[in-house]
Each structure stands twice: as C-alpha cells, then as structure tokens.
Amino acid sequence: MDRFHLMAVFVAVAEEEGFAGAARRLKLSPPAVTRAVAALEENLGVRLLNRTTRYVRVTEAGARYLDDARRILAAVDEAEEAAAGGNAEPRGLIRLTAPVLFGRLYVMPIVLDFLRQHPLVEVSAQLRDNVVNLMEEGLDAAVRIGHLPDSSLRAIKVGEVRRLVCAAPDYLARHGAPDAPEDLLSHTVIASTAASASLEWKFGADGERRVRVRPRLTVSGNDVAIDAAQGGFGLIRVMSYQVAEALAAGKLERVLTAYESAPLPIHIVHAESRYGSTRMRRFIDFLAERLRADPRLIG
C-alpha cells in the first residue's frame, strides 16, 4: 500500500480514537482501515495503537509517529498546492476549535458560508470552552478570547469583547440598578459555571475591585443564565458578545458600566508553516475579515 495512504489512515484513527470514526471520515470501509493500520505497524515493526473493546489510543511510539505523520502529510499537501498554483481551488480538511457560545453565534455562520463557496473543503469544528493544544489535538486553528501566552503559534487579532453586568428592564424597574459593585450583595445574582467557577467578580481596568457574589441561581451554561436574566430573575455577568443582540433589542440593560474591566482581545491562532496551504490561507483570511467587520466584536 502507498505509504502516504497508510499515514493518513493512521492519523485519522488516532484523531478519531476509533476505526469506525476514521472509516467514516475517510469514506472507507472499517475493514480497509483495519488492514491499513495493520500493514503500517507491520512495515514499521512497532505497535502504534493500543486497542480494547472500548477505546483506541496511541502508544508512546504511536504518539511520536503521529506528530511526524501530521507534519509530513501537511508538507505534501502544501507542495501539491504550490505546484498547482496560487489560484488552485482549496481542498481538504480544516480542523478548528472555538468557545462554545462564541463558536455557535459567530464562527459557525462564517464556516458555513466558506463551505458553500468552496465545495472541496471539509471542516471539523470542535466547540469547547477549555483551551486545547493545537498540535496535540491535531487542530489547524483556534479562535481564542483573552490574552495569549507566548507560543510558536501565529495570532491574528480580529476583535475584542468585555465582561459586563446586565439585567432585564423589568428587574431593574422593580429593584433598581446597582450603583457600585458592592451593591450586588443586595441584589439577586445569576451565576454560570461556564463563565467561571469563581464567585469573586473583578471590576475596574486592572481588576483591583473585587466582590464575592452570592448567587441565588447557578447554572452550567451561559445561554441558560441569559435566559433567566431576560426573564427578569436577576443580574448576570457575561461577555458582551453573548448578549449583544439582547442589549440591542432592549431585552437586557447594561449596568455598572463605569466599573467594567478592560476589554479582552479575540484572536485566530494557527501553526505557522513555511508555505501555508491554500485552504488555510483562504479560510483564515475569510474568517478574519468577517469577524473584524462584525460591530458586536468591538469592545
């Protein structure tokens, strides 16, 4: 079998953590995937995967080979695209991650438009609120909110957002608006563990003013907290992008604006390569242009 084919099959099995998932992704039969991995292990003389009835995981040797295989396959794709010329139609798989609510509201509509324009491209999107390592997870790009640590990844700033406190007009009419962060202690507070597990809310440009809130309602999702606030139950503290439409529609009102913390940047991050594939260049440019044009993402 072709060595590049065997590499591609192994990478798919490792990333999908299963033969069935890899078969679906590659549009092959499960037996064909099993045979390819077996042939690769036989050629290399080493076990790359540990298999049980419940999961498939890479071995230590498999993890090393996985990194090398990803790099080699990316280089082959880039070489082929370079030979075809800069105007070649982008093709292949893009693996992307973004925060759950931001991904659903802002990233996925752009992804769908990109896919409509480029029928040979596929996207695998992981919407997760935890920060993942792109190289370890086999991801091509990520949308991240907040200040970035130093790394080898290339970062493109596309906007900024801020944390804010808001409530429904009905709630504010009945209870009044807090004049200072400490006033939150006498108000009904709704907290979301998706936003932060901490009940200490920080205010001011440097976060130097802190209030430990006592929520009457704690939920696991920001969307649930926002629904409760729109229903007039209490005050929430969320990212501005999460309630931009509700604020514009008058369903929520912003309070404590004088005490808001400094805005947080939004970046697209990706691994910088020597050439860069056509699909990644086109996709990142498309995503960056659309996000930068969104007035809701101006802090």
Side-chain angles (χ1 to χ4, degrees):
M1 291 186 186
D2 177 81
R3 280 189 291 176
F4 292 130
H5 170 72
L6 298 183
M7 277 186 184
V9 173
F10 167 70
V11 169
V13 173
E15 292 178 348
E16 298 292 336
E17 297 184 347
F19 289 85
R24 288 191 296 271
R25 174 167 142 185
L26 298 172
K27 298 179 176 59
L28 297 172
S29 68
V33 171
T34 302
R35 287 194 298 270
V37 172
L40 180 61
E41 290 180 325
E42 183 177 353
N43 291 345
L44 297 174
V46 65
R47 178 175 289 278
L48 300 173
L49 298 168
N50 286 321
R51 310 157 174 84
T52 73
T53 55
R54 299 179 60 184
Y55 66 82
V56 175
R57 297 287 190 275
V58 293
T59 62
E60 184 176 348
R64 293 193 298 269
Y65 187 78
L66 178 59
D67 288 340
D68 291 337
R70 284 170 173 159
R71 186 167 55 252
I72 291 167
L73 292 172
V76 170
D77 284 345
E78 291 169 5
E80 290 178 345
E81 289 176 355
N87 295 322
E89 175 64 23
R91 64 177 64 226
L93 177 65
I94 296 171
R95 302 176 185 88
L96 171 73
T97 184
V100 175
L101 198 52
F102 188 87
R104 179 167 65 83
L105 294 176
Y106 296 87
V107 176
M108 289 311 300
I110 301 173
V111 167
L112 294 178
D113 284 346
F114 186 82
L115 290 174
R116 292 186 186 103
Q117 294 183 26
H118 301 288
L120 300 180
V121 172
E122 301 172 4
V123 171
S124 173
Q126 298 183 22
L127 302 186
R128 303 161 61 175
D129 285 326
N130 60 310
V131 176
V132 298
N133 184 297
L134 297 191
M135 298 302 294
E136 290 180 0
E137 298 286 338
L139 297 167
D140 300 304
V143 177
R144 290 182 175 161
I145 299 172
H147 299 289
L148 300 174
D150 293 335
S151 74
S152 61
L153 298 176
R154 185 182 178 195
I156 304 170
K157 186 178 178 182
V158 293
E160 57 185 25
V161 292
R162 63 173 71 237
R163 292 187 177 91
L164 52 84
V165 179
C166 55
D170 174 63
Y171 175 87
L172 297 175
R174 287 184 284 115
H175 301 281
D179 295 318
E182 292 75 17
D183 294 341
L184 292 169
L185 298 176
S186 61
H187 278 268
T188 300
V189 170
I190 305 164
S192 167
T193 56
S196 172
S198 174
L199 296 178
E200 187 177 66
W201 290 3
K202 300 177 183 180
F203 294 89
D206 298 321
E208 71 280 0
R209 195 159 179 172
R210 306 183 180 194
V211 176
R212 186 169 183 81
V213 297
R214 298 191 297 268
R216 284 201 62 205
L217 175 64
T218 302
V219 295
S220 60
N222 290 322
D223 50 350
V224 181
I226 293 167
D227 287 344
Q230 289 184 156
F233 185 74
L235 292 149
I236 54 170
R237 189 170 191 244
V238 290
M239 291 289 192
S240 55
Y241 75 84
Q242 297 170 340
V243 290
E245 294 184 1
L247 290 170
K251 296 179 181 179
L252 292 173
E253 293 182 8
R254 199 165 169 173
V255 300
L256 297 176
T257 55
Y259 301 94
E260 289 174 356
S261 55
L264 297 169
I266 306 169
H267 290 95
I268 301 171
V269 298
H270 64 97
E272 190 170 15
S273 68
R274 182 180 175 186
Y275 302 105
S277 68
T278 299
R279 66 176 178 274
M280 286 307 301
R281 288 197 306 271
R282 297 267 188 92
F283 176 71
I284 289 172
D285 288 346
F286 188 83
L287 181 60
E289 181 180 4
R290 289 280 297 272
L291 290 175
R292 284 172 174 160
D294 195 320
R296 299 169 296 179
L297 303 181
I298 299 174

